[in-house]
Amino acid sequence: MNIDKLTLALNEFVHVGGALVIVIAVVSVLTGFMREYIPQDKLQKKLTKHEKWGPLLGSLFGMLTPFCSASVVPVTMGMATMGVSLGTVLSFLISAPLCNFVVLAMIYATFGFKVTIVYLALTFTSAVLGGWLITKTPWRNEIKRADEIEGNKAPTCSAASSSFSCSETETEIKPVATASSCSATSPCSITPSAKSSKTENALRFALILFKKIIPYVLLGAIISGLSAAYLPADMVEKYVGDDSILAIFIAAVIGVPLYLRIEMAIPLLSVLIAKGMGLGPAMALIVGGTGASLPEIALVSSVLKPKAVIAFVGIILTTAVIAGLLFQYVV
């Protein structure tokens, strides 16, 4: 086995993995403290009192939600049962997976400040604009309310980033004092927390979140290291190096069924870009796969009616294509 290639793979792993581990550790601690000191049940109640600014507030609320497709569902159910408008809910659903501060931190660590700012501006604007536009259409009431939600079995899950939980036997969304973890394809596990100070609870949650994310970060770093050393650049250029509009559109569309875990995708895509993949298709893939994965669409359907689900997917795909065009031809 070529020693030079092994050295290159190891150096890439250390470089990418080391930077992301530090970023995730810091962000996990910040998330824990924000979760303890900014009660999200109170934030949800405020959303019902400021409908005029609903899409903006929903988008800002989404930025506080660490990425996890399943985690947005209990929060969304709470919003729906309290009568929050579809525009606010939709803005939250778009913002939460795409431009929460964990995702932004990872993009910054990998691609730098300029790419992060442009990405944030685009995804946040999309969330606000998408929520606002749907309030101006006949589809503005395409959201299930308390009686309709209670008629369905809610998915078994708990929000890793919120103070809400839901189960098949409990249709009422209520605050809980637990730390939890979740995934989009399996039920969430809950770790009850004993009575302790807010600081202890914050640090406990930070550790849970860090342990949840870090295996995927390290796996992504391993894959990126092996790709940097052994993946032929001419192969990358041949299959994903095309910077045409069609390539960007295809990348946006295939991102949905792929269900990209962004903590794995970003390190790998940085290597593929270095080997010839266009930044446009890469960003289209990230937005499409992170914003509207098939598991998330299935979960969101428990709260949104079919037309609203179509609008949600349409906004994500449109954002992905615009992101691809913007990063390929402008940035």
Side-chain angles (χ1 to χ4, degrees):
M1 190 173 288
N2 193 310
I3 299 298
D4 291 337
K5 287 189 175 181
L6 277 177
T7 302
L8 177 61
L10 180 61
N11 288 339
E12 180 70 18
F13 169 77
V14 172
H15 174 72
V16 174
L20 290 179
V21 165
I22 294 173
V23 169
I24 294 303
V26 173
V27 172
S28 294
V29 172
L30 290 176
T31 303
F33 279 96
M34 291 182 70
R35 182 177 181 270
E36 283 298 317
Y37 289 94
I38 305 178
Q40 295 192 7
D41 55 334
K42 293 182 180 180
L43 286 177
Q44 288 194 42
K45 291 178 181 178
K46 287 184 179 296
L47 292 177
T48 63
K49 299 178 181 179
H50 302 281
E51 290 298 336
K52 179 180 179 181
W53 301 99
L56 176 61
L57 295 175
S59 299
L60 290 171
F61 187 27
M63 291 185 68
L64 302 178
T65 306
F67 60 96
C68 173
S69 296
S71 72
V72 302
V73 176
V75 182
T76 304
M77 285 184 170
M79 294 169 125
T81 55
M82 286 190 290
V84 176
S85 72
L86 175 58
T88 304
V89 171
L90 194 63
S91 291
F92 169 77
L93 286 173
I94 296 168
S95 173
L98 286 181
C99 56
N100 69 72
F101 54 86
V102 179
V103 172
L104 296 176
M106 294 191 68
I107 291 177
Y108 171 74
T110 306
F111 297 110
F113 181 76
K114 182 180 179 181
V115 170
T116 305
I117 290 298
V118 175
Y119 175 88
L120 171 60
L122 175 63
T123 53
F124 187 80
T125 299
S126 175
V128 176
L129 191 59
W132 178 79
L133 285 175
I134 203 165
T135 63
K136 305 300 179 182
T137 71
W139 293 6
R140 59 183 173 273
N141 295 317
E142 291 291 308
I143 183 172
K144 298 175 183 178
R145 295 303 181 184
D147 54 342
E148 295 173 283
I149 292 175
E150 289 172 5
N152 300 323
K153 285 187 176 182
T156 303
C157 58
S158 63
S161 60
S162 70
S163 303
F164 293 87
S165 69
C166 60
S167 68
E168 291 187 354
T169 56
E170 294 180 341
T171 53
E172 179 185 0
I173 311 302
K174 59 185 180 179
V176 293
T178 60
S180 59
S181 61
C182 58
S183 71
T185 55
S186 62
C188 307
S189 60
I190 303 174
T191 305
S193 58
K195 290 184 178 179
S196 55
S197 69
K198 287 189 175 183
T199 299
E200 290 174 333
N201 283 335
L203 294 176
R204 184 182 296 110
F205 181 82
L207 181 60
I208 291 172
L209 183 61
F210 181 82
K211 288 180 177 180
K212 173 70 181 177
I213 298 172
I214 210 62
Y216 298 99
V217 171
L218 294 178
L219 180 58
I222 291 173
I223 294 173
S224 67
L226 294 175
S227 299
Y230 297 101
L231 185 64
D234 55 351
M235 181 182 295
V236 176
E237 292 178 359
K238 179 179 178 180
Y239 291 103
V240 291
D242 189 0
D243 59 358
S244 68
I245 295 176
L246 179 60
I248 292 171
F249 180 79
I250 292 174
V253 172
I254 66 174
V256 173
L258 281 180
Y259 177 49
L260 293 175
R261 292 196 66 97
I262 198 164
E263 61 268 39
M264 290 175 60
I266 288 180
L268 176 59
L269 287 175
S270 66
V271 172
L272 294 178
I273 289 171
K275 287 182 174 288
M277 184 179 188
L279 182 59
M283 284 299 176
L285 196 67
I286 288 177
V287 174
T290 305
S293 66
L294 287 179
E296 183 175 6
I297 293 172
L299 291 170
V300 164
S301 297
S302 64
V303 183
L304 302 184
K305 295 180 180 180
K307 291 179 180 178
V309 174
I310 292 172
F312 168 70
V313 175
I315 293 169
I316 294 296
L317 289 178
T318 300
T319 304
V321 172
I322 293 174
L325 295 173
L326 186 63
F327 281 102
Q328 188 64 47
Y329 300 112
V330 179
V331 177

